[in-house]
Amino acid sequence: MTIRIGNCSGFYGDRLSAMREMLEGGELDYLTGDYLAELTMLILGRDRMKDPARGYAKTFLRQLEECLGLASDKNVTIVSNAGGLNPAGLADAIRELSEKLGVATTVAHVEGDDLLSRAAELELGTPLTANAYLGAFGVARCLDAGAQVVVTGRVTDASVVVAPAISRFGWARTDYDKLAGAVVAGHVIECGTQATGGNYSFFTEIADMSRPGFPIAEISEDGSSVITKHGGSAGAVTIGTVTAQLMYEITGARYLGPDVTARMDSVSLTQEGPNRVRISGAIGEPPPSTLKVSRNLLGGFRNEMTFVLTGLDIEAKADLAKSQMIAALQPPPREIDWTLARTDHPDAESEETASALLRVVVRDDDANRVGRVFSAAAVELALASYPGFHVTAPPAAASPYGVFEPGYVDQKVPEHVAVLPDGERVDIEPPSETTTTEPDGEPVLPEPLPTEPTVRAPLGTVAAARSGDKGGNANVGVWVRTDREWSWLTHELTVDRVKQLLPEVADLPVSRHVFPNIKALNFVVDGILGQGVASQARFDPQAKGLGEWLRSRHVDIPESVAFSKGVE
């Protein structure tokens, strides 16, 4: 027995037509959508400040207006975390929509993740939002009660996929291997088309990337699954695309969740046919005793300006602009960051390729200091600075920015409640068994390859990568496709080597985690993103391109590896 669970959203702002595409594209039992991210919670928090009745993902309601009748006709149950900071409000809005459309729909929601009113007593500070990552059993209880639409607040991304399996198969709290298998499947499809070719290093190998289809997880009663997509949709489901998503935003072998600790190093992938990849072998352990809390705080105000430096004497021009701005900004703002991007080329055939970009970012508690004062200082240099002075955009006002900080509370702290379609409120007990796990040592590595001639080439000649953000940290997953490539990669790509290849991380803590079953290495870089994506501390604030930068760096690759076909 299997259930088919599709996904129609990987973030707040994803393809608006995806819900209809998934409902019309083929058979499904459940359709899920992930709308929440660290930055999204900040956006919803600011929405709630303006109007307490909001705080949920408005686009989800727009999608339902078009698709609720279709979902009812096809008997597809919808589960989503689009409730954000106001799942009860979204549930009421769906009921109103159902009545307006004349579509009889039973709606339930899950609440209890919002800890904002208790932040002080829980020593979580004074955040704008504070939400614990709840698990899947509250959603499952709603499904058991016959809900056709279930919306939640901040549950883990995979929980909206795990819950249907719990409900359909009757899994218990201690069915750890089964729960872990569903968590892995949920992790793969939670980010939508990233599992079907989106953001994939070897995208040129995919015949049609015009509009990749959204993924489907066919989950079996034993917790194993097959990742696929609707026939006729673009993109592809391969071991490579699934590996890419497996490596996204993880750390080590243990993937901690509120219901189970999934051993990511136990997972095996098998290509069963075109666009069908089986995930098997997942091992689960009891969950940790604490829940992660997503905390967003208002960090102050920020502004930025990018100066264009053209032609000769780039470094000297940058030094002049810096010194003039620093002299004008007195007293200085709390933070001032400079980045010089040497995008210029010698003897360039166009002005754009002869130019470098000098970016300055300022932050302060005083909006005026990084607003009018900062903009005026930049503009006043127009006729008084380096030759060829101009900027990429006109001056702008200061804007508020957020700071993400994780917190932790005991599993027993949130009042996890399933609000059933008839209004009954059911308390969801925390897991009775939890564990504290210590990191495993590095597994046994394959023997290094015998010495042979090498070629100087980009790492990405043979290796794929996927990178992303977790608060102020970033992860870079790197993997290969053959045993010979794996033997080389494990010994070539050490922490020290990554620091050499990526000088921006040289002074930061970096850890390496090994996943032999999928021939992958994962590197976690602490602190590279400052205080999270909302603080915009880096050129690439979510580290989305960090893996591709690593792939572009040149290394010495053994000829037998560099010239292999690398077929999966």
Side-chain angles (χ1 to χ4, degrees):
M1 180 181 177
T2 62
I3 53 175
R4 281 172 60 89
I5 305 174
N7 169 284
C8 68
S9 177
F11 67 100
Y12 191 15
D14 209 344
R15 190 188 307 169
L16 199 61
S17 62
M19 183 178 288
R20 173 168 287 278
E21 291 171 18
M22 290 301 286
L23 289 169
E24 292 181 337
E27 294 302 312
L28 293 173
D29 297 304
Y30 300 87
L31 183 59
T32 65
D34 177 15
Y35 293 79
L36 302 184
E38 293 166 0
L39 179 60
T40 310
M41 300 301 282
L42 174 66
I43 294 169
L44 295 179
R46 293 177 64 183
D47 284 350
R48 186 172 62 177
M49 288 177 66
K50 298 173 185 175
D51 182 355
R54 304 310 287 265
Y56 55 77
K58 297 183 288 291
T59 53
F60 176 73
L61 203 58
R62 290 173 56 194
Q63 290 173 305
L64 281 185
E65 186 168 9
E66 181 183 359
C67 298
L68 191 59
L70 180 59
S72 178
D73 291 343
K74 301 197 74 170
N75 196 31
V76 175
T77 300
I78 296 174
V79 182
S80 173
N81 61 14
L85 300 177
N86 189 8
L90 178 57
D92 287 341
I94 295 169
R95 292 186 187 98
E96 292 176 9
L97 177 64
S98 172
E99 185 174 347
K100 171 187 169 184
L101 297 175
V103 178
T105 305
T106 53
V107 183
H109 74 274
V110 174
E111 58 186 45
D113 61 294
D114 196 336
L115 302 178
L116 186 61
S117 64
R118 303 167 60 191
E121 69 173 273
L122 296 173
E123 300 183 349
L124 296 172
T126 56
L128 176 65
T129 68
N131 297 79
Y133 285 78
L134 301 181
F137 280 87
V139 179
R141 184 66 183 85
C142 293
L143 295 173
D144 291 344
Q148 295 165 295
V149 179
V150 183
V151 292
T152 77
R154 179 70 279 184
V155 298
T156 65
D157 297 343
S159 288
V160 295
V161 175
V162 178
I166 293 172
S167 177
R168 184 66 65 92
F169 301 132
W171 291 344
R173 282 277 193 180
T174 55
D175 286 329
Y176 296 127
D177 290 350
K178 296 175 181 179
L179 291 168
V183 165
V184 173
H187 177 63
V188 170
I189 73 170
E190 72 190 37
C191 286
T193 53
Q194 280 197 163
T196 59
N199 300 342
Y200 179 49
S201 293
F202 296 137
F203 68 96
T204 57
E205 298 177 1
I206 299 176
D208 182 4
M209 279 293 293
S210 57
R211 199 172 176 84
F214 278 69
I216 298 167
E218 297 176 351
I219 301 180
S220 299
E221 192 168 359
D222 65 358
S224 64
S225 63
V226 171
I227 307 300
T228 185
K229 64 185 184 70
H230 284 320
S233 60
V237 179
T238 68
I239 288 177
T241 66
V242 172
T243 300
Q245 184 55 27
L246 277 177
M247 299 305 296
Y248 186 60
E249 295 182 345
I250 66 169
T251 53
R254 286 183 168 88
Y255 189 63
L256 304 180
D259 300 319
V260 65
T261 298
R263 291 296 301 255
M264 302 297 277
D265 58 346
S266 65
V267 172
S268 294
L269 304 179
T270 308
Q271 190 83 43
E272 285 201 338
N275 296 313
R276 294 184 63 82
V277 172
R278 175 167 292 281
I279 302 176
S280 60
I283 294 174
E285 299 170 346
S289 60
T290 58
L291 296 176
K292 182 179 176 181
V293 179
S294 170
R295 294 189 298 163
N296 283 283
L297 303 89
L298 293 177
F301 298 87
R302 70 180 299 279
N303 207 342
E304 67 177 81
M305 184 71 73
T306 300
F307 302 95
V308 182
L309 316 173
T310 305
L312 304 177
D313 305 318
I314 295 296
E315 300 285 347
K317 289 173 179 174
D319 289 342
L320 177 58
K322 287 182 185 180
S323 64
Q324 290 177 313
M325 284 293 291
I326 291 170
L329 295 174
Q330 296 298 327
R334 186 183 71 228
E335 298 176 44
I336 182 165
D337 297 323
W338 296 92
T339 306
L340 176 60
R342 293 301 302 264
T343 52
D344 55 302
H345 299 271
D347 195 21
E349 295 185 358
S350 71
E351 183 177 341
E352 186 172 4
T353 57
S355 300
L357 301 175
L358 177 65
R359 178 174 178 251
V360 56
V361 179
V362 289
R363 300 180 189 84
D364 201 277
D365 296 328
D366 184 344
N368 184 57
R369 183 173 296 170
V370 293
R372 184 181 60 82
V373 172
F374 170 75
S375 294
V379 170
E380 289 168 3
L381 296 183
L383 305 181
S385 190
Y386 60 86
F389 179 99
H390 63 287
V391 294
T392 59
S399 59
Y401 73 92
V403 172
F404 174 83
E405 292 182 0
Y408 296 90
V409 296
D410 190 276
Q411 284 260 24
K412 299 175 183 178
V413 165
E415 297 173 0
H416 189 176
V417 176
V419 184
L420 307 186
D422 63 1
E424 180 186 359
R425 299 175 63 85
V426 178
D427 292 332
I428 305 301
E429 295 298 320
S432 58
E433 182 182 17
T434 61
T435 188
T436 300
T437 57
E438 295 296 328
D440 288 340
E442 193 166 88
V444 176
L445 301 178
E447 290 294 320
L449 295 178
T451 302
E452 62 174 284
T454 61
V455 295
R456 190 77 174 168
L459 175 65
T461 303
V462 296
R466 172 68 61 79
S467 56
D469 63 306
K470 276 293 184 185
N473 302 338
N475 89 290
V476 184
V478 185
W479 70 96
V480 290
R481 299 186 279 193
T482 70
D483 290 341
R484 194 166 187 82
E485 292 170 349
W486 177 237
S487 294
W488 169 74
L489 185 73
T490 56
H491 297 282
E492 167 66 18
L493 210 57
T494 62
V495 167
D496 287 343
R497 191 74 175 103
V498 166
K499 289 188 172 188
Q500 291 172 1
L501 295 171
L502 304 181
E504 289 182 17
V505 313
D507 296 327
L508 297 172
V510 178
S511 58
R512 182 176 104 149
H513 308 275
V514 182
F515 300 82
N517 284 8
I518 55 176
K519 301 181 179 68
L521 303 172
N522 188 45
F523 296 89
V524 180
V525 184
D526 291 347
I528 189 173
L529 302 179
Q531 294 179 298
V533 56
S535 70
Q536 297 281 306
R538 189 173 177 272
F539 164 70
D540 175 15
Q542 290 181 282
K544 300 297 186 182
L546 192 61
E548 288 302 298
W549 177 28
L550 179 61
R551 291 183 69 239
S552 75
R553 297 309 309 269
H554 286 226
V555 296
D556 294 320
I557 306 175
E559 289 183 351
S560 64
V561 172
F563 299 132
S564 68
K565 296 184 182 297
V567 177
E568 295 181 28

